[in-house]
Amino acid sequence: MKQKFAIKVDDLTVAYDYKPVLWDIDLAVPEGVLMAIVGPNGAGKSTLIKAVLGIIKPIAGSISIYDKPYKEQRKLVAYVPQKGSVDWDFPTTAIDVVMMGTYGSLGWIKRPGQKEKKAALEALEKVGMLPFKNRQISQLSGGQQQRVFLARALVQNASIYFMDEPFQGVDASTEIAIINILKELRKAGKTLVVVHHDLQTVPEYFDWVTFLNVKKIAAGPVKEIFNDDNLTKTYGINYKVAINK
Amino acid sequence: MSITEYFELVITDYTLRTITLGTAVLGAICGMLGSFAVLRKQSLLGDAISHAALPGIAIAFLITGAKDSNVLMLGALVSGLIGTFWIRGITSKTHLKSDTALGLILSLFFGFGMLLLTFIQKQPNANQAGLDKYLFGQAATLVEKDVTIMVFVTGICLIVLLLFWKEFKILLFDADYTKTLGFNTKFIDILITFFIVLAIVLGLQTVGVVLMSALLLAPAAAARQWTNSLKVMIILAAIFGAFSGVLGTAISASDNNLSTGPVIVLVAGVFVLFSFIFSPERGILFREIRFRKNRNDLQLKKTLQFMYGIAKTHENISHPHAIRILNNFQGFTKGSLRTMEEKEWIQLKGQEWSLTPVGFEEAKNLFNQQKND
């Protein structure tokens, strides 16, 4: 059976100033996987996502989403940025932030209406944030803010989800809530790419993994490639982790 | 002329009416656009732009030899825009941070502008007198033509704001995300910046290059204190700005012809100060009151809990105990004991206290309550 690839990256090189952050990355993400990108700080994990999404302009290389350039496939893609990338003291409410997920399909000038509001409420319900819909966003806890960001991506109703450290700074109950939603999305046939830091949970949460440290070290099914050898190559030290499965 | 006389005159006097309308419109547009500058953390950009406009004013005068405010404004606009794009260029093309770029452009342009101004003042051209009014502003020089332009630009700005409201809002909150949704963030960004530059240039004649940025920022900073909604914030900032403009002009015109800029800015400053102290949610005063009340509340409950610990060792929970056994416990006073008695948690008799059944139940549920608060 020929495998269908949701995301394909060829020869991608990205540099800030003179120093390459990503070097010659080739990556093919099969449709329907829940993939972790792991690697040390400064390995270029966020940069890889941002380059695929067109936020950062690469120096060289090509990127395709279902065999077409990202620009043509935008509506298939949703993005959850790092929570710390925005100012949470911005004067707006949880539901307003979630509604922003509908702006892409609305396009220029057109305002969100009842349909969009309904979608936003459903997404809030899914992440367990419905009771907080009118809360000013600075009054939400870190975990709640992360849930709002996730809801905003859910509203986009995409096929591919890019998430930048969705588990950062959240408590256990939020982490479980989020991973359950991610697993549910995968069951529905969606492809998920998640920048992840906690190596212990990789085998439990993900079925696909990419090791990254400026270069791609390895990519493939967690069961096959999540081992000491690759971890050592990626992190530069003999990284012992318990692999249960 | 006193302030009241001034406002009586506004109704009858055409010139004063023009000036008042002009400063109101100016304050409103500055407040609106200033909200964007504040929320984008570009508060200093306004300062740099207004200072960068000065050489444009001087050069426009040198070329035309006339003090026509429209021509001077055009000069200011061009040089303000050049300054803005240089700031952006420096930030994106070099390692310098934006505050350095802002400071650099601000002082270079302003220095150059001052140089030209001194040069102009040494010229025998009688027309040059009054060009220095652009430093601190003089609302009295506003004529109908100036105000017409202000109203026109504000109108366009409002239309653009309403049209691109959703785009402005999402760009302000999360620019990267906006890009992934397919919006041309550069276009939105330039649109916002262009209008900010325009508002600043409009205000130079009234408020002056030195203090112009304050009229941009102060109303927005004050408005942020009162609301958690972007829409309300912008409307409030426009109102605060308009009031600052009108009141400031009135005070400056009614008393010895003070420079308008400083007075407008001081009035706007009063709005800021008042908002920082008295706004219900974010203001210092009510925050402090809430803080104290919570503290007292907690102290009361902790005392009750301590009593509960003693009382529950007795068969009769209302068994009286000496007040002095509380002595090694922090945070109780005669006053707090009386408050507890008013709440019917305890009964005081001489030097003794006893827990009531109400107090006992209250104490028992304290921890759960605290958690659910």
Side-chain angles (χ1 to χ4, degrees), chain B residues 199-219:
Chain B
I200 288 170
V201 169
L202 279 180
L204 292 180
Q205 195 182 350
T206 315
V207 187
V209 297
V210 179
L211 293 170
M212 187 53 217
S213 66
L215 185 57
L216 210 60
L217 307 179

Side-chain angles (χ1 to χ4, degrees), chain A residues 17 55 70 74 79 86-87 89-92 96 101 103 107-111 136 139 152 156, chain B residues 39 41 95 162 165-167 169 172-174 176-177 179-184 224 228 230 281-282:
Chain A
D17 300 326
I55 298 168
Y70 174 71
R74 256 188 242 288
Y79 174 44
V86 301
D87 174 13
D89 197 35
F90 192 82
T92 193
D96 248 10
Y103 286 11
W108 288 91
I109 295 171
K110 217 177 144 212
R111 299 283 182 90
Q136 148 73 13
Q139 285 157 9
R152 184 176 71 170
Q156 287 182 258
Chain B
L39 289 175
K41 312 208 167 27
H95 290 274
L162 288 174
W165 173 256
K166 158 174 130 271
E167 286 78 11
K169 181 173 172 175
L172 288 177
F173 177 61
D174 194 345
D176 276 356
Y177 183 72
K179 215 169 172 179
T180 68
L181 293 182
F183 290 102
N184 184 342
R224 179 69 187 91
N228 281 326
L230 181 63
E281 212 177 293
R282 298 165 75 98

Side-chain angles (χ1 to χ4, degrees), chain A residues 21 36 45 67 114 210 244:
Chain A
V21 185
K45 303 182 294 291
D67 301 318
Q114 282 308 313
T210 293
N244 295 326

Side-chain angles (χ1 to χ4, degrees), chain B residues 234-253:
Chain B
I234 288 177
I235 294 169
L236 272 181
I239 294 170
F240 289 164
F243 270 104
S244 307
V246 171
L247 275 177
T249 310
I251 295 169
S252 83

Side-chain angles (χ1 to χ4, degrees), chain B residues 304 308 311 315-319 340 343-347 353-365:
Chain B
L304 180 68
Y308 171 77
E315 196 133 321
N316 173 14
I317 52 151
S318 296
H319 182 84
M340 292 171 79
K343 285 178 184 268
E344 297 183 351
W345 288 351
I346 57 169
Q347 274 180 341
W353 59 268
S354 57
L355 213 55
T356 64
V358 182
F360 189 80
E361 279 307 307
E362 181 77 21
K364 218 162 79 180
N365 296 321

Side-chain angles (χ1 to χ4, degrees), chain B residues 71-90:
Chain B
V71 176
L72 298 186
M73 235 153 50
L74 201 65
L77 181 65
V78 171
S79 117
L81 283 174
I82 292 175
T84 314
F85 282 101
W86 280 11
I87 290 166
R88 296 167 70 102
I90 291 174

